[in-house]
Short mmCIF file of all heavy atoms in Angstrom, two decimals:
data_model
loop_
_atom_site.label_atom_id
_atom_site.label_comp_id
_atom_site.label_asym_id
_atom_site.label_seq_id
_atom_site.Cartn_x
_atom_site.Cartn_y
_atom_site.Cartn_z
N ILE N 12 149.46 96.71 75.32
CA ILE N 12 148.44 95.63 75.57
C ILE N 12 148.47 94.57 74.48
O ILE N 12 148.42 93.39 74.69
CB ILE N 12 147.06 96.23 75.66
CG1 ILE N 12 146.88 97.02 76.99
CG2 ILE N 12 145.97 95.20 75.51
CD1 ILE N 12 146.82 96.06 78.19
N LEU N 13 148.56 95.02 73.18
CA LEU N 13 148.53 94.11 72.04
C LEU N 13 149.77 93.20 72.06
O LEU N 13 149.71 91.96 71.73
CB LEU N 13 148.42 94.86 70.77
CG LEU N 13 147.03 95.55 70.52
CD1 LEU N 13 147.13 96.55 69.38
CD2 LEU N 13 145.95 94.54 70.28
N LYS N 14 150.94 93.80 72.40
CA LYS N 14 152.12 92.98 72.50
C LYS N 14 152.08 91.92 73.58
O LYS N 14 152.41 90.75 73.37
CB LYS N 14 153.34 93.95 72.74
CG LYS N 14 154.66 93.22 72.98
CD LYS N 14 155.22 92.71 71.67
CE LYS N 14 156.70 92.38 71.77
NZ LYS N 14 157.07 91.45 72.85
N GLU N 15 151.52 92.36 74.75
CA GLU N 15 151.45 91.42 75.89
C GLU N 15 150.51 90.30 75.70
O GLU N 15 150.67 89.11 76.02
CB GLU N 15 151.08 92.20 77.15
CG GLU N 15 152.21 93.09 77.71
CD GLU N 15 151.68 93.86 78.89
OE1 GLU N 15 150.50 93.86 79.18
OE2 GLU N 15 152.54 94.55 79.54
N ARG N 16 149.31 90.65 75.08
CA ARG N 16 148.19 89.72 74.97
C ARG N 16 148.26 88.79 73.74
O ARG N 16 147.78 87.71 73.73
CB ARG N 16 146.89 90.40 74.94
CG ARG N 16 146.57 91.16 76.25
CD ARG N 16 146.51 90.18 77.40
NE ARG N 16 146.09 90.89 78.68
CZ ARG N 16 144.88 90.93 79.14
NH1 ARG N 16 143.91 90.23 78.51
NH2 ARG N 16 144.56 91.53 80.26
N SER N 17 148.86 89.30 72.62
CA SER N 17 148.85 88.50 71.39
C SER N 17 150.16 88.43 70.68
O SER N 17 150.29 87.65 69.74
CB SER N 17 147.80 89.17 70.41
OG SER N 17 148.29 90.40 69.98
N GLY N 18 151.17 89.22 71.13
CA GLY N 18 152.41 89.17 70.45
C GLY N 18 152.49 90.17 69.25
O GLY N 18 153.56 90.41 68.62
N LEU N 19 151.31 90.77 68.96
CA LEU N 19 151.20 91.72 67.80
C LEU N 19 152.07 92.91 68.02
O LEU N 19 151.88 93.59 69.03
CB LEU N 19 149.74 92.11 67.56
CG LEU N 19 149.48 93.13 66.46
CD1 LEU N 19 149.83 92.55 65.11
CD2 LEU N 19 148.00 93.45 66.47
N ILE N 60 139.23 94.63 76.85
CA ILE N 60 140.60 94.33 76.40
C ILE N 60 140.49 93.10 75.43
O ILE N 60 141.15 93.21 74.38
CB ILE N 60 141.48 94.06 77.57
CG1 ILE N 60 141.75 95.27 78.36
CG2 ILE N 60 142.82 93.47 77.11
CD1 ILE N 60 142.49 95.04 79.71
N ARG N 61 139.74 92.13 75.80
CA ARG N 61 139.63 90.95 74.84
C ARG N 61 139.05 91.33 73.49
O ARG N 61 139.49 90.91 72.48
CB ARG N 61 138.78 89.86 75.51
CG ARG N 61 139.45 89.12 76.63
CD ARG N 61 138.71 87.79 76.94
NE ARG N 61 137.31 88.05 77.35
CZ ARG N 61 136.94 88.22 78.60
NH1 ARG N 61 137.80 88.12 79.58
NH2 ARG N 61 135.71 88.41 78.88
N ASP N 62 138.02 92.22 73.58
CA ASP N 62 137.40 92.68 72.32
C ASP N 62 138.36 93.46 71.45
O ASP N 62 138.38 93.30 70.22
CB ASP N 62 136.19 93.52 72.62
CG ASP N 62 135.03 92.74 73.19
OD1 ASP N 62 135.05 91.52 73.06
OD2 ASP N 62 134.07 93.32 73.74
N VAL N 63 139.21 94.29 72.08
CA VAL N 63 140.20 95.05 71.29
C VAL N 63 141.20 94.14 70.66
O VAL N 63 141.61 94.28 69.52
CB VAL N 63 140.85 96.08 72.23
CG1 VAL N 63 142.13 96.68 71.58
CG2 VAL N 63 139.85 97.24 72.58
N VAL N 64 141.75 93.17 71.43
CA VAL N 64 142.73 92.27 70.92
C VAL N 64 142.14 91.48 69.75
O VAL N 64 142.77 91.27 68.73
CB VAL N 64 143.25 91.28 72.02
CG1 VAL N 64 144.11 90.22 71.45
CG2 VAL N 64 144.05 92.06 73.09
N GLU N 65 140.92 91.05 69.92
CA GLU N 65 140.26 90.25 68.84
C GLU N 65 140.07 91.12 67.57
O GLU N 65 140.28 90.69 66.46
CB GLU N 65 138.94 89.71 69.28
CG GLU N 65 138.25 88.83 68.23
CD GLU N 65 137.35 87.78 68.81
OE1 GLU N 65 137.67 87.30 69.93
OE2 GLU N 65 136.38 87.42 68.15
N ALA N 66 139.69 92.38 67.76
CA ALA N 66 139.46 93.26 66.67
C ALA N 66 140.76 93.52 65.89
O ALA N 66 140.74 93.74 64.66
CB ALA N 66 138.85 94.64 67.12
N MET N 67 141.88 93.58 66.61
CA MET N 67 143.16 93.85 65.98
C MET N 67 143.87 92.59 65.40
O MET N 67 144.90 92.77 64.71
CB MET N 67 144.14 94.52 67.00
CG MET N 67 143.69 95.90 67.39
SD MET N 67 143.53 97.06 65.96
CE MET N 67 145.20 96.98 65.31
N THR N 68 143.34 91.44 65.68
CA THR N 68 143.97 90.25 65.16
C THR N 68 143.55 90.04 63.72
O THR N 68 142.36 90.01 63.37
CB THR N 68 143.54 88.99 65.96
OG1 THR N 68 143.85 89.20 67.34
CG2 THR N 68 144.28 87.77 65.45
N THR N 69 144.54 89.91 62.82
CA THR N 69 144.26 89.79 61.38
C THR N 69 143.79 88.40 61.12
O THR N 69 144.46 87.40 61.49
CB THR N 69 145.54 90.13 60.59
OG1 THR N 69 145.87 91.43 60.83
CG2 THR N 69 145.24 89.95 59.09
N ASN N 70 142.70 88.25 60.42
CA ASN N 70 142.11 86.91 60.11
C ASN N 70 141.98 86.64 58.67
O ASN N 70 141.17 85.88 58.19
CB ASN N 70 140.72 86.78 60.80
CG ASN N 70 140.84 86.79 62.33
OD1 ASN N 70 141.64 86.06 62.86
ND2 ASN N 70 139.99 87.52 62.96
N TRP N 105 149.38 70.17 63.21
CA TRP N 105 148.94 71.35 63.92
C TRP N 105 148.89 72.53 62.97
O TRP N 105 149.88 72.86 62.29
CB TRP N 105 149.91 71.60 65.07
CG TRP N 105 149.58 72.85 65.86
CD1 TRP N 105 148.38 73.45 66.00
CD2 TRP N 105 150.46 73.63 66.72
NE1 TRP N 105 148.48 74.58 66.83
CE2 TRP N 105 149.75 74.66 67.31
CE3 TRP N 105 151.81 73.45 67.03
CZ2 TRP N 105 150.31 75.57 68.18
CZ3 TRP N 105 152.41 74.38 67.92
CH2 TRP N 105 151.63 75.45 68.48
N CYS N 106 147.73 73.14 62.93
CA CYS N 106 147.56 74.41 62.23
C CYS N 106 147.49 75.51 63.27
O CYS N 106 146.42 75.65 63.93
CB CYS N 106 146.25 74.45 61.43
SG CYS N 106 146.41 73.50 59.86
N ALA N 107 148.53 76.21 63.46
CA ALA N 107 148.59 77.35 64.40
C ALA N 107 148.00 78.59 63.70
O ALA N 107 148.27 78.82 62.52
CB ALA N 107 150.03 77.64 64.87
N ALA N 108 147.32 79.39 64.48
CA ALA N 108 146.67 80.60 63.93
C ALA N 108 145.80 80.22 62.71
O ALA N 108 145.93 80.77 61.64
CB ALA N 108 147.76 81.63 63.51
N SER N 109 144.87 79.34 62.98
CA SER N 109 144.03 78.76 61.93
C SER N 109 142.96 79.61 61.41
O SER N 109 142.29 79.30 60.36
CB SER N 109 143.44 77.41 62.40
OG SER N 109 142.61 77.65 63.49
N SER N 110 142.70 80.77 62.03
CA SER N 110 141.71 81.75 61.62
C SER N 110 140.37 81.09 61.41
O SER N 110 139.88 80.35 62.24
CB SER N 110 142.22 82.46 60.36
OG SER N 110 141.37 83.55 60.00
N THR N 111 139.69 81.33 60.27
CA THR N 111 138.36 80.87 60.09
C THR N 111 138.24 79.49 59.47
O THR N 111 137.23 79.07 58.98
CB THR N 111 137.52 81.87 59.23
OG1 THR N 111 138.33 82.28 58.07
CG2 THR N 111 137.19 83.11 59.99
N ALA N 138 143.68 72.41 65.15
CA ALA N 138 143.72 73.81 64.69
C ALA N 138 143.49 74.75 65.83
O ALA N 138 142.59 74.56 66.61
CB ALA N 138 142.63 74.02 63.65
N THR N 139 144.37 75.73 66.00
CA THR N 139 144.25 76.62 67.13
C THR N 139 144.24 78.07 66.66
O THR N 139 144.76 78.41 65.57
CB THR N 139 145.47 76.48 68.12
OG1 THR N 139 146.69 76.82 67.44
CG2 THR N 139 145.54 75.06 68.58
N ASP N 140 143.61 78.96 67.42
CA ASP N 140 143.57 80.38 67.12
C ASP N 140 143.29 81.06 68.45
O ASP N 140 142.70 80.53 69.40
CB ASP N 140 142.54 80.73 66.07
CG ASP N 140 142.77 82.07 65.47
OD1 ASP N 140 142.35 83.09 66.02
OD2 ASP N 140 143.50 82.14 64.41
N LEU N 141 143.69 82.36 68.49
CA LEU N 141 143.50 83.17 69.68
C LEU N 141 142.05 83.61 69.81
O LEU N 141 141.51 83.80 70.88
CB LEU N 141 144.38 84.44 69.53
CG LEU N 141 144.33 85.47 70.65
CD1 LEU N 141 144.81 84.84 71.96
CD2 LEU N 141 145.14 86.67 70.28
N SER N 142 141.32 83.71 68.68
CA SER N 142 139.98 84.34 68.69
C SER N 142 138.87 83.33 68.85
O SER N 142 138.69 82.49 67.96
CB SER N 142 139.80 85.10 67.35
OG SER N 142 138.42 85.46 67.24
N PRO N 143 138.06 83.36 69.90
CA PRO N 143 136.90 82.48 69.99
C PRO N 143 135.91 82.71 68.90
O PRO N 143 135.25 81.78 68.42
CB PRO N 143 136.29 82.87 71.33
CG PRO N 143 137.38 83.61 72.13
CD PRO N 143 138.20 84.29 71.05
N GLU N 144 135.78 83.87 68.42
CA GLU N 144 134.80 84.22 67.36
C GLU N 144 135.14 83.49 66.07
O GLU N 144 134.25 82.84 65.44
CB GLU N 144 134.79 85.77 67.14
CG GLU N 144 133.72 86.19 66.12
CD GLU N 144 133.65 87.64 65.94
OE1 GLU N 144 133.87 88.40 66.89
OE2 GLU N 144 133.44 88.09 64.79
N VAL N 145 136.36 83.56 65.61
CA VAL N 145 136.72 82.83 64.41
C VAL N 145 136.68 81.34 64.57
O VAL N 145 136.47 80.61 63.62
CB VAL N 145 138.09 83.32 63.81
CG1 VAL N 145 138.05 84.79 63.54
CG2 VAL N 145 139.24 83.00 64.72
N LEU N 146 136.97 80.84 65.78
CA LEU N 146 136.92 79.39 66.02
C LEU N 146 135.49 78.90 65.85
O LEU N 146 135.27 77.81 65.32
CB LEU N 146 137.47 79.08 67.40
CG LEU N 146 138.97 79.20 67.55
CD1 LEU N 146 139.34 79.03 69.00
CD2 LEU N 146 139.69 78.20 66.69
N GLU N 147 134.48 79.67 66.30
CA GLU N 147 133.14 79.29 66.16
C GLU N 147 132.72 79.22 64.68
O GLU N 147 132.03 78.32 64.25
CB GLU N 147 132.23 80.27 66.94
CG GLU N 147 132.23 80.04 68.44
CD GLU N 147 131.94 78.61 68.82
OE1 GLU N 147 130.87 78.05 68.37
OE2 GLU N 147 132.69 78.05 69.59
N SER N 149 134.79 78.67 62.31
CA SER N 149 135.51 77.48 61.75
C SER N 149 134.76 76.21 61.95
O SER N 149 134.59 75.37 61.05
CB SER N 149 136.92 77.37 62.39
OG SER N 149 137.64 78.52 62.17
N TYR N 191 139.23 71.92 67.00
CA TYR N 191 139.66 73.31 67.25
C TYR N 191 139.92 73.56 68.73
O TYR N 191 139.25 73.05 69.62
CB TYR N 191 138.65 74.26 66.78
CG TYR N 191 138.54 74.32 65.21
CD1 TYR N 191 137.63 73.54 64.50
CD2 TYR N 191 139.42 75.11 64.52
CE1 TYR N 191 137.62 73.52 63.13
CE2 TYR N 191 139.39 75.12 63.16
CZ TYR N 191 138.51 74.37 62.48
OH TYR N 191 138.47 74.39 61.09
N ARG N 192 140.92 74.38 69.05
CA ARG N 192 141.25 74.75 70.37
C ARG N 192 141.60 76.28 70.37
O ARG N 192 142.27 76.74 69.50
CB ARG N 192 142.49 73.98 70.85
CG ARG N 192 142.32 72.50 70.94
CD ARG N 192 141.58 72.11 72.16
NE ARG N 192 141.54 70.66 72.33
CZ ARG N 192 140.61 69.88 71.75
NH1 ARG N 192 139.66 70.44 70.94
NH2 ARG N 192 140.57 68.61 71.92
N GLN N 193 141.15 76.96 71.43
CA GLN N 193 141.60 78.35 71.57
C GLN N 193 142.98 78.27 72.21
O GLN N 193 143.19 77.61 73.22
CB GLN N 193 140.62 79.12 72.50
CG GLN N 193 141.00 80.61 72.61
CD GLN N 193 140.10 81.35 73.56
OE1 GLN N 193 139.21 80.84 74.13
NE2 GLN N 193 140.33 82.69 73.62
N PHE N 194 143.91 79.01 71.61
CA PHE N 194 145.29 78.91 72.01
C PHE N 194 146.07 80.13 71.58
O PHE N 194 145.88 80.67 70.47
CB PHE N 194 145.94 77.67 71.44
CG PHE N 194 147.31 77.32 71.97
CD1 PHE N 194 147.40 76.66 73.21
CD2 PHE N 194 148.49 77.63 71.33
CE1 PHE N 194 148.65 76.41 73.77
CE2 PHE N 194 149.69 77.31 71.84
CZ PHE N 194 149.79 76.68 73.06
N ASN N 195 146.95 80.65 72.47
CA ASN N 195 147.73 81.80 72.23
C ASN N 195 149.24 81.29 71.96
O ASN N 195 149.76 80.57 72.73
CB ASN N 195 147.70 82.71 73.41
CG ASN N 195 148.29 84.10 73.21
OD1 ASN N 195 149.30 84.21 72.39
ND2 ASN N 195 147.80 85.09 73.78
N LEU N 196 149.82 81.78 70.92
CA LEU N 196 151.16 81.31 70.57
C LEU N 196 152.17 81.84 71.53
O LEU N 196 153.33 81.33 71.54
CB LEU N 196 151.54 81.82 69.17
CG LEU N 196 150.86 81.10 67.98
CD1 LEU N 196 151.28 81.71 66.63
CD2 LEU N 196 151.18 79.65 67.99
N LEU N 197 151.81 82.68 72.45
CA LEU N 197 152.71 83.13 73.52
C LEU N 197 152.72 82.17 74.70
O LEU N 197 153.52 82.19 75.60
CB LEU N 197 152.34 84.55 74.05
CG LEU N 197 152.36 85.64 72.95
CD1 LEU N 197 152.01 86.97 73.59
CD2 LEU N 197 153.70 85.73 72.25
N GLN N 198 151.77 81.21 74.67
CA GLN N 198 151.66 80.18 75.72
C GLN N 198 152.65 79.05 75.51
O GLN N 198 153.27 78.91 74.40
CB GLN N 198 150.25 79.56 75.75
CG GLN N 198 149.14 80.53 76.07
CD GLN N 198 147.74 79.79 75.95
OE1 GLN N 198 146.87 80.39 75.30
NE2 GLN N 198 147.62 78.64 76.51
N VAL N 214 151.46 84.48 60.24
CA VAL N 214 151.15 85.06 61.53
C VAL N 214 152.36 85.63 62.14
O VAL N 214 152.31 86.68 62.79
CB VAL N 214 150.51 84.05 62.46
CG1 VAL N 214 151.40 82.90 62.77
CG2 VAL N 214 150.07 84.74 63.76
N PHE N 218 154.99 89.73 64.52
CA PHE N 218 155.73 89.69 65.74
C PHE N 218 157.10 90.35 65.60
O PHE N 218 157.64 90.40 64.47
CB PHE N 218 155.96 88.25 66.27
CG PHE N 218 154.64 87.55 66.53
CD1 PHE N 218 154.63 86.18 66.62
CD2 PHE N 218 153.49 88.22 66.86
CE1 PHE N 218 153.43 85.49 66.92
CE2 PHE N 218 152.26 87.56 67.07
CZ PHE N 218 152.24 86.16 67.18
#
Side-chain angles (χ1 to χ4, degrees):
I12 286 291
L13 291 168
K14 174 74 163 56
E15 288 176 353
R16 295 299 185 97
S17 69
L19 176 66
I60 292 173
R61 285 197 301 268
D62 288 345
V63 167
V64 171
E65 182 150 330
M67 290 303 301
T68 303
T69 300
N70 294 314
W105 178 21
C106 285
S109 60
S110 189
T111 46
T139 64
D140 198 273
L141 178 63
S142 167
E144 184 177 325
V145 300
L146 289 172
E147 284 306 308
S149 301
Y191 288 96
R192 298 282 185 273
Q193 185 181 3
F194 190 79
N195 190 328
L196 289 177
L197 301 183
Q198 295 175 231
V214 62
F218 297 160

